[in-house]
Amino acid sequence: NDLFYAWETKGSYNSTFETAESCMNTAMAIVFLGDLASQLKRSNDPEAHELAAAMFEFREQLLKAWMKDLGDRSFPRRAWTDSSTSLGEDNLWLEPQGFALLIPEMSNDRKRALLTEVQRRVLNSEKMGARQIEKPIVHPGTPEGSRENGGFWYALHGTLILGTATIDQDLAESLLKRMTFANYARNFPDYWTGQWSASDSLDSSLLPSEGLAANITYCAHAHAWPLYCYLRLREKTSS
């Protein structure tokens, strides 16, 4: 479920779908294949061990390619639409950043450098949390600062919180507080929709409608992500 192919690219949708590579999906696979394989290794089932070994092998291939692509950059690209055209060279997309912070092989120094870029480019100016992209484009039907064109997403900010917790628990706690309904009420006291319900994304500071959603819904993201992150951070402090 990766919508970068909706971005303005030179190629057609069909060709992008066939040739593109998502740095977000790759980083996500590196994180969760490692977690799942580690759990499978604890089983007494030989077949589970065989599956875990295959997962570790595939993960190693993904990690090698992902780290090569990262190179000496301070933050990962968003994607490659084909072998010669990338997205996010100097325009930070939030999607891969949280997963990058969760990769154990990323050094703490690299994680701190990445967080510095996130804070400077997409976080410091925002009330609820990091917006999805640093520099949106003119996109028909999706204003600059809304949804997949620079909006605030609970799922993306939630992943950022979990990644941040690997090196800075206090900062992770402060990022968690930013996406709560309490913080919403403080910043947008005249908006009832976001205090009792919310969409999966909100308009960012790039729009006069900051804090409002494109539609009024009872969406689980606004409720589940703060709770999930809270429980994960409590789990970390008690371990």
Side-chain angles (χ1 to χ4, degrees), residues 89-131:
E89 286 293 325
D90 190 34
N91 186 14
L92 188 144
W93 300 58
L94 189 59
E95 285 92 337
Q97 313 308 328
F99 292 114
L101 291 169
L102 286 165
I103 295 176
E105 288 84 355
M106 285 278 286
S107 69
N108 286 350
D109 286 343
R110 296 207 71 167
K111 289 183 179 183
R112 291 189 184 93
L114 191 158
L115 268 175
T116 297
E117 296 289 350
V118 168
Q119 289 174 301
R120 179 174 67 87
R121 293 170 181 259
V122 297
L123 178 60
N124 288 342
S125 61
E126 303 299 322
K127 293 184 175 70
M128 288 297 293
R131 66 175 182 265

Side-chain angles (χ1 to χ4, degrees), residues 195-212:
Q195 293 188 40
W196 295 103
S197 65
S199 180
D200 48 357
S201 69
L202 303 171
D203 291 349
S204 71
S205 65
L206 300 178
L207 284 171
S209 54
E210 179 183 8
L212 291 176

Side-chain angles (χ1 to χ4, degrees), residues 44-186:
N44 294 323
D45 186 346
E47 291 185 353
H49 289 188
E50 184 177 349
L51 178 58
M55 285 183 173
F56 278 130
E57 182 178 354
F58 181 44
R59 180 189 182 276
E60 186 62 27
Q61 294 171 6
L62 293 177
L63 177 64
K64 183 178 179 180
W66 195 86
M67 294 299 291
K68 180 180 178 181
D69 185 62
L70 179 63
D72 60 359
R73 296 170 53 83
S74 57
F75 62 90
R77 298 175 176 88
R78 175 66 178 87
W80 289 85
T81 57
D82 56 48
S83 60
S84 60
T85 308
S86 65
L87 296 177
E89 286 293 325
D90 190 34
N91 186 14
L92 188 144
W93 300 58
L94 189 59
E95 285 92 337
Q97 313 308 328
F99 292 114
L101 291 169
L102 286 165
I103 295 176
E105 288 84 355
M106 285 278 286
S107 69
N108 286 350
D109 286 343
R110 296 207 71 167
K111 289 183 179 183
R112 291 189 184 93
L114 191 158
L115 268 175
T116 297
E117 296 289 350
V118 168
Q119 289 174 301
R120 179 174 67 87
R121 293 170 181 259
V122 297
L123 178 60
N124 288 342
S125 61
E126 303 299 322
K127 293 184 175 70
M128 288 297 293
R131 66 175 182 265
Q132 173 261 342
I133 192 172
E134 178 186 2
K135 294 174 285 191
I137 64 166
V138 177
H139 193 284
T142 310
E144 300 168 59
S146 180
R147 296 194 61 77
E148 295 91 354
N149 197 21
F152 162 81
W153 291 79
Y154 289 92
L156 296 180
H157 189 76
T159 308
L160 178 67
I161 290 170
L162 300 180
T164 300
T166 63
I167 58 168
D168 192 331
Q169 181 76 15
D170 291 339
L171 178 57
E173 296 277 357
S174 68
L175 293 178
L176 169 59
K177 292 176 181 177
R178 286 177 69 160
M179 75 166 173
T180 61
F181 285 112
N183 184 52
Y184 188 95
R186 282 191 294 271

Side-chain angles (χ1 to χ4, degrees), residues 184-195 211-212:
Y184 188 95
R186 282 191 294 271
N187 283 285
F188 309 106
D190 296 329
Y191 296 166
W192 67 267
T193 56
Q195 293 188 40
L212 291 176

